[in-house]
């Protein structure tokens, strides 16, 4: 096939366009796409050749001189194997990666922080009432009946106290009950379990018959079992006790609470008042030593000590842990450590807070101090000092802990688990720390209080006449 052109004078003969010539003309047009396909293949082949050739052993150079060649150096050692690939990990939703094309990282972080902070403050306000400046305010108590008054005569076997293991306000009552050697026939008490998922209008609930929880060290180390069963009324939680004994009450159902079993009425739910009530009972026979934790000769001193220990230390640690503003937290921290320093100076000069004998003032302080290094210094951010940094206070803690029966009132693993797991706004992960243990805190180590101030075991109490 060919194409003929018209002949003009002076022009060369017409070009006969054969198939071969047409292919030659099209060749420049085909070169660019051909190069785009071939060059990557050539690049990959060359790279692979260079990579493999770099791993081949090099041949020694060829010596052309007549002299004997020098010995060749030993071949280099093989290169170390490449490191293993990192283990696979979960990267979450990868929000920072796929949202950067839509909005700046600053906006995303500020939005997440605002949402999280708003939810946290809402939960904290429900958990712990707040003032306008973000400081924790301990609620007032509704029931203030007194044992020994006409409505509630002092009778053995008539009253029962509901307490919680982790609560320091409850601990002062079980401690007084133990120190005064009272028994369950005189005035009984039982434990509620802190489980806000089981409870309502508060955090205290009961397990069904047979539901028990044994601690693993401290007071429960010897295999003693702590029941969380209501054997008085058979209720499921503390709200049912309040509904039964105070119909129409709509407030928070707190522990401790003192109940009149005979009339099914709430007597009192303020720990300070119940502590004084426990001091009224006589010791059971055949005991004759009637320990007085609130002796008349020391009442003014005890009241003065309680007046500043309660707000600065006992409630101060909660003001640190439950604060929702930086200012509220720092005010609490200042009060806590000023109070601890004041206690340290008192115990440097005398054996106990009110003098040479153990009184109600020591009973009220001990539950806070035994929890301080285990919980308050970390979870509540009271981190300036540990109790171990106060030599006289730490020795006082050992002496009280080693008194007969006191160790059995302390369940370190249980109270640590309670604070870290149940107060989930303070620890959303629910991860519970390992320790500190009784051995870590050196609670059974020797103390120097008797040698320093004199006196023996029975000399540290005042007895009623």
């Amino acid at each position: 096939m060919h194409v003929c052109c018209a002949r003009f004078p002076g022009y060369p003969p017409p070009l006969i366009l054969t198939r071969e010539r047409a292919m030659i003309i099209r060749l420049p047009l085909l070169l660019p796409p051909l190069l785009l396909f071939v060059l990557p293949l050539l690049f990959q082949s060359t790279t692979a050749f260079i990579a493999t050739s770099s791993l081949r052993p090099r041949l020694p150079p060829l010596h052309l001189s007549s002299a004997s060649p020098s010995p060749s150096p030993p071949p280099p050692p093989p290169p170390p194997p490449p490191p293993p690939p990192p283990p696979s990990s979960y990267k979450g939703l990868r929000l920072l990666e796929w949202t950067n094309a839509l909005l700046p990282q600053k906006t995303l972080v500020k939005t997440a922080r605002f949402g999280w902070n708003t939810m946290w403050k809402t939960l904290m306000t429900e958990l712990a009432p707040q003032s306008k400046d973000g400081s924790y305010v301990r609620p007032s108590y509704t029931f203030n009946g007194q044992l020994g008054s006409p409505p509630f005569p002092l009778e053995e076997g008539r009253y029962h106290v509901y307490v919680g293991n982790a609560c320091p306000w409850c601990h002062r009552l079980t401690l007084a009950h133990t120190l005064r050697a009272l028994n369950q026939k005189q005035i009984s008490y039982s434990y509620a379990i802190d489980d806000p998922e089981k409870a309502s209008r508060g955090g205290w609930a009961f397990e069904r018959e047979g539901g028990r929880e044994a601690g693993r060290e401290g007071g429960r180390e010897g295999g003693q079992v702590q029941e969380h069963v209501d054997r008085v009324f058979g209720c499921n939680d503390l709200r049912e006790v309040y509904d039964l004994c105070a119909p129409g009450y709509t407030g928070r159902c707190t522990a401790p609470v003192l109940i009149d079993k005979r009339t099914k009425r709430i007597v009192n739910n303020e720990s300070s008042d119940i502590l004084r009530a426990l001091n009224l009972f006589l010791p059971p026979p055949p005991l004759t030593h009637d320990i007085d934790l609130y002796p008349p000769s020391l009442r003014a001193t005890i009241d003065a000590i309680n007046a500043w220990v309660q707000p600065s230390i006992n409630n101060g640690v909660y003001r640190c842990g439950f604060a929702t503003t930086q200012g509220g937290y720092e005010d609490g921290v200042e009060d806590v450590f000023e109070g601890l320093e004041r206690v340290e100076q008192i115990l440097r000069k005398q054996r106990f807070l009110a003098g040479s004998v153990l009184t109600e003032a020591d009973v009220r302080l001990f539950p806070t101090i035994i929890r301080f290094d285990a919980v308050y210094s970390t979870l509540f951010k009271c981190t300036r000092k540990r109790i171990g940094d106060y030599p006289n206070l730490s020795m006082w803690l050992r002496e009280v802990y080693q008194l007969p029966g006191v160790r059995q009132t302390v369940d370190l693993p249980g109270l640590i688990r309670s604070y870290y797991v149940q107060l989930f706004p303070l620890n959303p992960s629910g991860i519970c720390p390992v320790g500190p243990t009784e051995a870590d805190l050196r609670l059974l180590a020797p103390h120097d209080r008797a040698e320093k101030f004199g006196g023996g075991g029975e000399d540290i109490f005042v007895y009623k006449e």
Side-chain angles (χ1 to χ4, degrees):
M1 177 179 177
H2 63 275
V3 178
C4 297
C5 296
R7 180 185 295 273
F8 291 94
Y11 280 84
L15 176 65
I16 304 301
L17 188 61
T18 63
R19 185 187 303 269
E20 293 77 9
R21 289 177 177 173
M23 290 297 296
I24 293 173
I25 294 174
R26 294 191 185 100
L27 186 59
L29 301 176
L30 297 175
L31 282 177
L34 186 62
L35 291 175
L36 292 176
F37 176 75
V38 173
L39 286 178
L41 296 179
L42 292 175
F43 177 77
Q44 292 179 5
S45 300
T46 305
T47 305
F49 174 77
I50 294 173
T52 55
S53 62
S54 62
L55 299 177
R56 297 172 183 170
R58 296 175 179 265
L59 295 176
L62 181 63
H63 297 275
L64 300 179
S65 63
S66 59
S68 61
S70 59
S72 59
S88 59
S89 60
Y90 176 63
K91 296 184 178 181
L93 300 178
R94 306 176 73 172
L95 294 176
L96 294 179
E97 297 180 21
W98 63 264
T99 57
N100 276 344
L102 303 176
L103 55 119
Q105 177 174 312
K106 176 181 178 181
T107 303
L108 176 66
V109 172
K110 290 180 67 175
T111 302
R113 179 176 292 170
F114 174 79
W116 179 271
N117 192 261
T118 301
M119 178 64 72
W120 174 77
K121 283 188 175 182
T122 302
L123 291 172
M124 286 298 298
T125 304
E126 291 296 320
L127 173 68
Q130 303 285 315
S131 64
K132 291 184 179 180
D133 63 353
S135 299
Y136 168 61
V137 178
R138 181 163 293 278
S140 58
Y141 298 94
T142 306
F143 304 95
N144 53 10
Q146 302 294 322
L147 290 191
S149 63
F152 305 108
L154 187 63
E155 296 180 11
E156 292 188 356
R158 178 170 175 170
Y159 301 99
H160 183 83
V161 184
Y162 290 98
V163 296
N165 172 55
C167 174
W169 322 105
C170 297
H171 189 187
R172 58 175 60 169
L173 304 184
T174 59
L175 185 60
H177 196 282
T178 298
L179 290 173
R180 301 201 67 244
L182 302 178
N183 61 36
Q184 295 279 20
K185 293 182 179 180
Q186 293 176 285
I187 178 169
S188 58
Y189 68 88
S190 61
Y191 286 96
I193 187 172
D194 50 331
D195 190 341
E197 295 183 11
K198 290 183 179 180
S200 55
R201 269 193 10 238
W204 301 106
F206 304 106
E207 295 178 345
R208 285 299 183 184
E209 183 71 25
R212 297 184 175 188
E213 176 179 311
R216 290 170 297 201
E217 75 155 313
R220 312 295 185 270
E221 194 173 25
Q224 297 188 21
V225 176
Q226 182 184 110
E227 283 193 337
H228 297 139
V229 179
D230 179 20
R231 299 190 179 278
V232 179
F233 301 118
C235 296
N236 293 314
D237 63 6
L238 204 57
R239 178 192 63 82
E240 293 186 3
V241 175
Y242 272 75
D243 288 347
L244 177 66
C245 299
Y249 175 73
T250 58
R252 184 171 296 186
C253 303
T254 60
V257 58
L258 175 63
I259 302 293
D260 184 343
K261 295 185 291 184
R262 181 176 301 174
T263 61
K264 294 183 179 179
R265 294 172 59 189
I266 293 179
V267 180
N268 200 297
N269 62 347
E270 164 57 53
S271 64
S272 300
D273 295 338
I274 303 174
L275 180 60
R276 297 274 172 90
L278 292 176
N279 200 54
L280 300 177
F281 289 88
L282 296 175
L287 298 179
T288 58
H289 298 303
D290 190 2
I291 294 176
D292 193 352
L293 296 176
Y294 192 56
S297 61
L298 293 175
R299 288 181 180 178
T301 302
I302 294 172
D303 291 341
I305 293 172
N306 292 343
W308 60 266
V309 167
Q310 173 73 12
S312 65
I313 301 177
N314 294 338
N315 194 51
V317 292
Y318 281 86
R319 289 167 52 209
C320 298
F322 290 167
T324 55
T325 62
Q326 185 69 29
Y329 160 73
E330 291 181 359
D331 289 343
V333 168
E334 290 299 321
D335 289 346
V336 166
F337 288 98
E338 285 181 8
L340 290 177
E341 187 61 39
R342 190 172 177 181
V343 169
E344 172 70 9
Q345 296 306 316
I346 292 175
L347 296 177
R348 183 173 62 86
K349 302 174 183 178
Q350 58 195 39
R351 192 167 181 178
F352 296 101
L353 288 179
S356 59
V357 292
L358 187 146
T359 65
E360 176 191 287
D362 302 280
V363 172
R364 289 166 59 113
L365 179 62
F366 177 82
T368 300
I369 302 303
I370 194 66
R371 288 161 172 75
F372 197 91
D373 288 352
V375 175
Y376 302 145
S377 65
T378 50
L379 185 64
F380 284 7
K381 300 182 284 294
C382 300
T383 54
R384 184 177 293 176
K385 281 186 177 181
R386 301 174 303 112
I387 297 302
D389 298 326
Y390 297 95
N392 295 287
L393 180 56
S394 59
M395 289 294 178
W396 169 90
L397 174 63
R398 292 180 193 176
E399 179 175 21
V400 178
Y401 185 80
Q402 295 172 23
L403 291 176
V406 172
R407 186 182 179 219
Q408 281 67 38
T409 69
V410 180
D411 179 11
L412 274 175
L415 66 89
I416 291 173
R417 182 171 59 253
S418 172
Y419 276 94
Y420 277 90
V421 176
Q422 302 303 347
L423 296 181
F424 61 89
L426 299 181
N427 185 34
S429 69
I431 297 175
C432 188
V434 179
T437 64
E438 180 184 73
D440 295 332
L441 299 176
R442 305 191 66 212
L443 293 173
L444 296 179
H447 63 82
D448 63 354
R449 305 299 286 174
E451 293 80 1
K452 189 173 182 179
F453 297 102
E458 294 185 355
D459 296 334
I460 64 172
F461 295 107
V462 174
Y463 297 96
K464 297 180 182 179
E465 297 179 357

